[in-house]
Amino acid sequence: MSTAEDRPSKDERSHLLLALGGLLSLAAAMGIGRFVYTPILPYMTDGLNLPASEAGLIASANFLGYLAGALAGAARSLPGKPQHWFIGGLAASAVTSIAMALTTDLAAFLFIRFLSGMASAFVLVFSTTLILERLNAAGRADLSALHFAGVGCGIALSAILIAGLAYLAPDWRLLWIASGIATLLFLAAVVRLVPAPSEQPNAITADKRVQSASKPLMTGGLIRLVGAYGLFGFGYVITATFVSVIARSEPALQSSEKLVWLVVGLSAAPSIYVWNKVAARTGARMAFALACVLESAGVALTVISQQPFVFLFGAMLLGGTFMGITALGLMEGRRQAQAHGQTAVRRMLAILTASFGAGQVAGPWIAGQLHAMTGSFNAASLAAAAALLIAAALVFRE
């Protein structure tokens, strides 16, 4: 017979539901809204005769929108309540996915994916205020891993959704519409699971840290971290954008096309938890370097082997590292800037986001241009793998 002590308290249940709401929000806005372009792209390429250069440009527009949205969302002058931006971002993510099915014009694709990128950034930024800060305040920071698992879960779900629907009717328009409807369903659940926070004084204003005026914020270590974060953005995004197209374009790999994005998502889902454990032992900087080396190997494996098993193993390494590296870079930047106060921390996170965003924007465009010149993604992928190794070397020492 269970006792009251055995049953989870109302607060514990509410914290778990809040983290679940975070998982669903990131699954919708990031896993589907931001990354569903990857499994849909082969069908767009076939249906529209879309060249790789234009496909890369569309991807870059989305990442440019993400960069703009992340920086706008981090601005203290942004009007309105976080809850409104958070829910609005999810709604915009659904609408922009559906809108992709309503046009065949390149300029329209660029504009829609730019707005979609902004929407996903707003969801990510404001989920920090509405979910992570409340979990941290309640002493349940451990549930942040469940929150961030949403990206991988959304990627896996999008892979299953696109593969299933494409088997029935491989029309790229239908795939976009279905993705938007899935996001709307997630939105309905998130509205119930993530309530608006009660109005309380902001404890951050009481920050009493000693700000060191004698020591500059941008030390050599932080400058190298910023450079490494940009190289990571460039290094992961080329494979993350074109991996499904690579599978379709190589006869020996075509059997893995339906599986590759699922493998990425399933590997990404637990990755934050795993890399947090690694960082607890080695420190965030060393964990960042190790993850970059593993991701470099994964990126290279997707183009240097014609074996489906090796190709999928490379995809697994990509999925198992890219979210971890994203979190580890921000963690290390926060740690090194904390001695300068909360304003410096926000500034550091904005600088890292800008560097990461610049790498993401450049990657797909450069890959598309190299494909136009060489006829394959080999050169772009190997350049991405090299960028990740350089990123690892930059952060290897303090």
Side-chain angles (χ1 to χ4, degrees):
M1 181 176 177
S2 64
T3 65
E5 291 181 356
D6 296 324
R7 295 191 296 271
S9 68
K10 182 178 179 181
D11 283 346
E12 288 174 334
R13 288 195 301 272
S14 68
H15 298 150
L16 184 60
L17 290 174
L18 185 63
L20 179 60
L23 181 149
L24 294 177
S25 69
L26 294 190
M30 302 287 288
I32 299 176
R34 186 176 173 200
F35 287 116
V36 77
Y37 178 67
T38 298
I40 294 178
L41 181 56
Y43 302 98
M44 292 183 69
T45 300
D46 288 349
L48 297 171
N49 293 319
L50 189 70
S53 57
E54 293 185 2
L57 198 59
I58 295 169
S60 291
N62 182 255
F63 294 123
L64 182 61
Y66 177 82
L67 172 60
L71 296 179
R76 302 182 68 183
S77 59
L78 193 70
K81 295 182 178 180
Q83 182 81 2
H84 296 161
W85 287 105
F86 177 67
I87 298 300
L90 282 168
S93 184
V95 170
T96 52
S97 289
I98 294 172
M100 286 291 287
L102 306 180
T103 184
T104 58
D105 181 66
L106 176 61
F109 283 149
L110 296 175
F111 180 65
I112 292 167
R113 290 303 286 166
F114 177 85
L115 294 180
S116 176
M118 289 193 71
S120 64
F122 281 142
V123 173
L124 181 64
V125 168
F126 289 105
S127 70
T128 301
T129 301
L130 294 169
I131 299 168
L132 293 185
E133 288 185 4
R134 289 155 80 177
L135 291 175
N136 288 337
R140 293 307 310 270
D142 57 302
L143 289 175
S144 65
L146 179 61
H147 169 72
F148 283 112
V151 179
C153 290
I155 289 174
L157 175 66
S158 70
I160 295 170
L161 177 68
I162 300 308
L165 288 175
Y167 179 78
L168 299 174
D171 186 327
W172 62 271
R173 298 175 185 85
L174 173 65
L175 304 181
W176 278 113
I177 292 171
S179 300
I181 292 172
T183 302
L184 287 174
L185 295 175
F186 278 68
L187 169 60
V190 170
V191 168
R192 295 182 63 85
L193 292 171
V194 185
S198 57
E199 295 294 334
Q200 294 179 345
N202 190 348
I204 294 177
T205 59
D207 182 22
K208 299 296 184 182
R209 283 194 184 90
V210 176
Q211 299 191 26
S212 174
S214 60
K215 294 174 63 177
L217 171 63
M218 296 305 293
T219 62
L222 274 176
I223 291 172
R224 289 193 298 275
L225 177 64
V226 170
Y229 212 52
L231 289 169
F232 156 59
F234 175 84
Y236 101 89
V237 79
I238 291 174
T239 306
T241 300
F242 293 109
V243 68
S244 294
V245 174
I246 293 170
R248 176 168 292 197
S249 64
E250 298 291 342
L253 300 176
Q254 287 175 358
S255 62
S256 63
E257 181 191 341
K258 299 294 191 299
L259 291 175
V260 63
W261 200 234
L262 178 63
V263 169
V264 172
L266 293 177
S267 303
S271 62
I272 292 287
Y273 175 81
V274 172
W275 285 107
N276 280 347
K277 292 292 187 183
V278 174
R281 287 179 170 270
T282 66
R285 182 176 286 269
M286 289 297 296
F288 183 103
L290 174 60
C292 282
V293 171
L294 291 176
E295 187 166 298
S296 175
V299 167
L301 287 175
T302 61
V303 293
I304 64 175
S305 173
Q306 294 293 298
Q307 297 296 321
F309 175 79
V310 176
F311 178 73
L312 291 175
F313 182 68
M316 185 190 73
L317 290 177
L318 172 70
T321 53
F322 82 94
M323 280 302 299
I325 300 172
T326 303
L328 291 168
L330 296 177
M331 186 189 308
E332 179 64 13
R334 179 186 293 274
R335 182 188 71 81
Q336 292 200 40
Q338 272 182 332
H340 297 265
Q342 288 296 325
T343 300
V345 169
R346 285 193 296 271
R347 179 185 166 208
M348 190 67 247
L349 297 184
I351 291 171
L352 285 168
T353 299
S355 179
F356 178 63
Q360 285 192 122
V361 171
W365 180 81
I366 291 174
Q369 299 304 309
L370 287 174
H371 185 278
M373 290 187 289
T374 66
S376 78
F377 289 102
N378 289 18
S381 297
L382 293 176
L388 287 162
L389 289 178
I390 295 171
L394 286 174
V395 300
F396 185 73
R397 63 186 183 87
E398 192 63 52

